Amino acid sequence: LWLKTSFTTLIIGVFVVYVLHTCWVMYGIVYTKPCENTKFENCIKPYLAGKPRLQLSIYTALRPNADGGHTLIYKEEDFDVDSKFERTVNVSIPKKTRNNGTLYALAFVHQAGVTPWQDQKQVHLVAQLTTYMVPKPAEVSLISGEETPQVRLAEGGDTAVERPVSHWRSRLTLNVVSEEFVFDKDFLPSDVHRFLRVFQNGKKMIYLPLLFVDELSNRVKDLIEINNTRTELPLTISYDTISLGKLRFWIHMQDAVYSLQQFGFTEKDADEIKGIFVDTNLYFLALTFFVAAFHLLFDFLAFKNDISFWKQKKSMMGMSSKAVLWRCFSTIVIFMYLFDEQTSLLVLIPAGIGSLIEVWKVKKAFKIQIFWKGVRPTFIFGKSDESEKRTEAYDTLAMKYLSYVLYPLCIGGAVYALVFLRYKSWYSWLINSLVNGVYAFGFLFMLPQLFVNYKFKSVAHLPWKAFMYKAFNTFIDDVFAFVITMPTSHRLACFRDDVVFLVYLYQRWLYPVDKTRMNEYGLSYDEEEKPKGKAHRD
């Protein structure tokens, strides 16, 4: 007991240190030490303090260094760094770009009245206007064969859906730090240093405007597939000011997303992470961080206690084996559905781990032993005692009544989807039909366990420690349901779990723990306290 307690305490201690360290790192990111004595030689003053007349010019080019020519697509002649705006322009797409090529945008902030190539004090950044991504496969009616209208692949009717094609980023978001911050040369942040251009004006050091291209605003939903038929595509140019603290935070987030892509994350996976930062208020984002940290802690504690409970479980008295089997089936179906929908790895990986754990629970619940004869496995099921047979009888009775409602609803929903909806394949229809049944009516499969609890008038046989940690995570999932992009049915399932949790809490209150009732290991406290002498006859 002491070892278990100390291990849990150690994990909680590590968690607290992790949260405090993260808060300290975040403070170091958003806070920059200013130059206290502005007359000091180490101070780097802002160019914007002199209120210069500026111009914003944006060009397109086939190469990031503009070799081979460039085309002006937009200019703001009287550029006010404090005034935000949004403009939509039509951009001519070169033939090389239409043939699965790339195109770059070069954004310049320079003195008004001259071209950026003539201005020695100009600042510029390069942004890629195209990206490569596998297009979404066409969905068809499995009965009539009619396709859903959508953007096709490039000419030639290529059906190799797995071939990445060039997509147009229809948004370009620019930011300039408008606050007149004075940097200290000795405490210059390394993340800002690569965006800082400094020139000498006598004895003074002046830094040019901090221009930033917000790559996090490039979302998958804004991508347009490029083909040979369209010679022009729209580009929405957005500009807004940004604080120095937010700029530094955004730089770190963009670097983190880029690192994930280098490790194999696809554009769609990275898009889920971008959505957390871009579509969320910064204060809510900070709350999300703390919620995610607690979610990680509760996930680990629930996993630890759940594994410990099932590892020591020797009797299935009071436990619905049908519910265990259903949870295994439903988690596998949900994992296959999320995989078919190309859901974010943030959701897919935990679902896959959960499926493996549920398979192991089924092996424990049905006392399955596996023997191998060469490459052919042999399964041997263990025998049940009287209390387990009684539990199984209640379990079977509950499932019998449940099947009268559940099966017609699932079959009816599958037939309706086959007739009126469109899918990529028969497999996609099958997985969607199964998962809709799991999401819509899955909570009904918790009724057998509730029925067994009612018959035994006890909930002591349930793994309450693991259950409470999972319950906390259920409410945390409600928060993530609004933050992380996921299928609507998966989002609704998070709230469905809240209802199941409240019903279990009611039973916990209705059937308080009694020392004469069986605990989670099939023993009662009275039995444990009996002397080990010879039992007397009644």
Side-chain angles (χ1 to χ4, degrees):
L1 179 63
W2 184 86
L3 288 176
K4 292 181 180 179
T5 304
S6 63
F7 181 71
T8 303
T9 304
L10 176 64
I11 292 300
I12 295 176
V14 171
F15 167 76
V16 172
V17 171
Y18 165 75
V19 171
L20 293 177
H21 175 263
T22 304
C23 292
W24 175 254
V25 171
M26 293 298 295
Y27 174 76
I29 291 175
V30 298
Y31 174 76
T32 305
K33 185 178 179 180
C35 189
E36 297 175 355
N37 186 1
T38 55
K39 296 182 180 179
F40 193 52
E41 292 182 356
N42 273 10
C43 291
I44 308 176
K45 298 181 180 179
Y47 180 68
L48 293 177
K51 306 298 179 184
R53 187 166 171 261
L54 300 174
Q55 179 176 320
L56 172 67
S57 301
I58 301 175
Y59 297 82
T60 58
L62 292 173
R63 296 181 181 178
N65 56 6
D67 286 350
H70 52 272
T71 304
L72 178 67
I73 60 171
Y74 179 78
K75 67 177 180 179
E76 187 83 9
E77 293 184 347
D78 192 9
F79 177 52
D80 182 6
V81 294
D82 294 315
S83 300
K84 66 178 182 179
F85 63 83
E86 185 171 288
R87 308 279 190 270
T88 301
V89 296
N90 289 322
V91 180
S92 178
I93 309 300
K95 186 176 181 181
K96 287 186 178 180
T97 304
R98 297 200 302 270
N99 291 329
N100 220 20
T102 56
L103 191 66
Y104 297 91
L106 288 77
F108 292 86
V109 174
H110 57 96
Q111 294 182 27
V114 297
T115 66
W117 320 105
Q118 299 171 336
D119 186 8
Q120 296 296 322
K121 297 179 181 179
Q122 55 86 12
V123 290
H124 77 278
L125 287 176
V126 179
Q128 192 170 324
L129 293 177
T130 57
T131 186
Y132 290 95
M133 196 177 72
V134 176
K136 186 178 178 180
E139 295 180 345
V140 300
S141 173
L142 299 176
I143 295 180
S144 65
E146 181 184 353
E147 290 191 8
T148 302
Q150 57 177 303
V151 180
R152 302 297 185 109
L153 289 174
E155 65 177 3
D158 192 355
T159 57
V161 179
E162 296 300 322
R163 183 174 66 90
V165 298
S166 187
H167 284 67
W168 175 254
R169 289 175 170 171
S170 60
R171 295 191 66 86
L172 177 64
T173 304
L174 304 173
N175 302 112
V176 170
V177 178
S178 60
E179 59 183 287
E180 298 175 2
F181 189 86
V182 180
F183 288 100
D184 189 330
K185 185 180 178 181
D186 294 333
F187 297 95
L188 193 63
S190 58
D191 43 36
V192 177
H193 189 273
R194 63 188 181 202
F195 293 92
L196 205 65
R197 283 199 60 200
V198 181
F199 68 93
Q200 199 80 23
N201 185 10
K203 292 184 178 182
K204 295 180 181 180
M205 289 186 293
I206 309 294
Y207 70 90
L208 294 171
L210 285 170
L211 178 64
F212 179 68
V213 176
D214 187 0
E215 297 283 352
L216 295 178
S217 297
N218 293 326
R219 304 296 308 280
V220 169
K221 63 183 179 181
D222 298 323
L223 295 179
I224 302 174
E225 189 176 335
I226 299 176
N227 53 41
N228 280 330
T229 61
R230 302 184 66 175
T231 57
E232 286 190 351
L233 287 171
L235 177 66
T236 300
I237 302 171
S238 299
Y239 169 78
D240 199 359
T241 58
I242 189 172
S243 65
L244 180 60
K246 185 176 179 180
L247 171 68
R248 296 187 60 195
F249 179 74
W250 242 232
I251 291 171
H252 281 270
M253 293 306 103
Q254 283 193 178
D255 290 346
V257 171
Y258 177 77
S259 298
L260 290 175
Q261 289 176 315
Q262 298 304 304
F263 279 109
F265 272 55
T266 64
E267 183 83 22
K268 191 174 188 301
D269 293 327
D271 185 70
E272 312 295 347
I273 301 173
K274 289 179 182 179
I276 297 176
F277 299 109
V278 176
D279 298 337
T280 309
N281 180 277
L282 279 180
Y283 295 104
F284 189 67
L285 184 63
L287 174 64
T288 303
F289 161 73
F290 286 105
V291 167
F294 279 102
H295 193 287
L296 183 65
L297 175 65
F298 290 141
D299 258 342
F300 178 83
L301 294 176
F303 173 79
K304 170 183 171 292
N305 285 277
D306 203 25
I307 294 297
S308 298
F309 171 82
W310 282 96
K311 190 176 181 180
Q312 301 177 44
K313 189 72 174 171
K314 301 188 184 304
S315 173
M316 282 298 290
M317 178 200 171
M319 296 290 292
S320 172
S321 57
K322 303 277 192 313
V324 175
L325 186 62
W326 164 252
R327 279 198 299 271
C328 178
F329 171 75
S330 61
T331 52
I332 292 174
V333 168
I334 290 172
F335 173 75
M336 295 172 69
Y337 168 69
L338 295 175
F339 184 80
D340 185 61
E341 290 289 317
Q342 299 178 347
T343 308
S344 167
L345 292 176
L346 298 173
V347 179
L348 192 63
I349 292 175
I353 296 174
S355 300
L356 295 176
I357 294 174
E358 292 300 330
V359 171
W360 174 73
K361 287 182 184 179
V362 169
K363 179 179 177 295
K364 292 284 292 184
F366 289 89
K367 302 176 182 178
I368 301 174
Q369 292 182 323
I370 305 174
F371 298 95
W372 292 88
K373 294 180 179 179
V375 294
R376 188 180 65 179
T378 301
F379 299 93
I380 298 178
F381 293 83
K383 295 181 179 180
S384 302
D385 57 27
E386 290 299 323
S387 61
E388 289 177 324
K389 289 179 180 178
R390 184 182 168 202
T391 302
E392 189 175 347
Y394 293 145
D395 199 11
T396 304
L397 182 62
M399 286 298 299
K400 177 183 176 182
Y401 294 130
L402 188 61
S403 63
Y404 296 153
V405 178
L406 186 65
Y407 297 155
L409 289 175
C410 290
I411 294 173
V415 173
Y416 174 85
L418 180 63
V419 175
F420 295 102
L421 301 181
R422 291 173 169 83
Y423 296 95
K424 293 176 287 186
S425 63
W426 284 97
Y427 170 78
S428 181
W429 165 78
L430 178 62
I431 291 298
N432 274 268
S433 299
L434 288 174
V435 83
N436 285 334
V438 168
Y439 283 140
F441 314 115
F443 71 98
L444 295 177
F445 271 93
M446 299 307 295
L447 296 181
Q449 183 63 65
L450 299 178
F451 184 71
V452 171
N453 296 345
Y454 164 73
K455 285 294 185 179
F456 278 98
K457 298 293 188 291
S458 174
V459 293
H461 43 264
L462 297 176
W464 278 100
K465 275 190 177 180
F467 181 72
M468 290 305 297
Y469 289 131
K470 288 180 180 180
F472 286 130
N473 269 352
T474 295
F475 292 110
I476 292 174
D477 286 338
D478 296 342
V479 177
F480 276 108
F482 295 101
V483 177
I484 296 180
T485 304
M486 61 181 69
T488 303
S489 52
H490 192 71
R491 181 176 285 115
L492 293 176
C494 296
F495 300 101
R496 178 206 69 192
D497 292 339
D498 297 343
V499 178
V500 176
F501 168 65
L502 293 175
V503 174
Y504 274 115
L505 276 186
Y506 172 71
Q507 284 196 329
R508 176 77 169 179
W509 170 80
L510 192 63
Y511 310 131
V513 175
D514 190 336
K515 289 189 176 183
T516 62
R517 294 190 179 121
M518 306 294 283
N519 66 6
E520 62 265 34
Y521 305 116
L523 299 172
S524 70
Y525 289 98
D526 287 350
E527 289 177 353
E528 292 173 351
E529 293 171 0
K530 282 183 180 179
K532 295 184 179 180
K534 185 182 289 186
H536 67 277
R537 293 184 179 180
D538 293 334

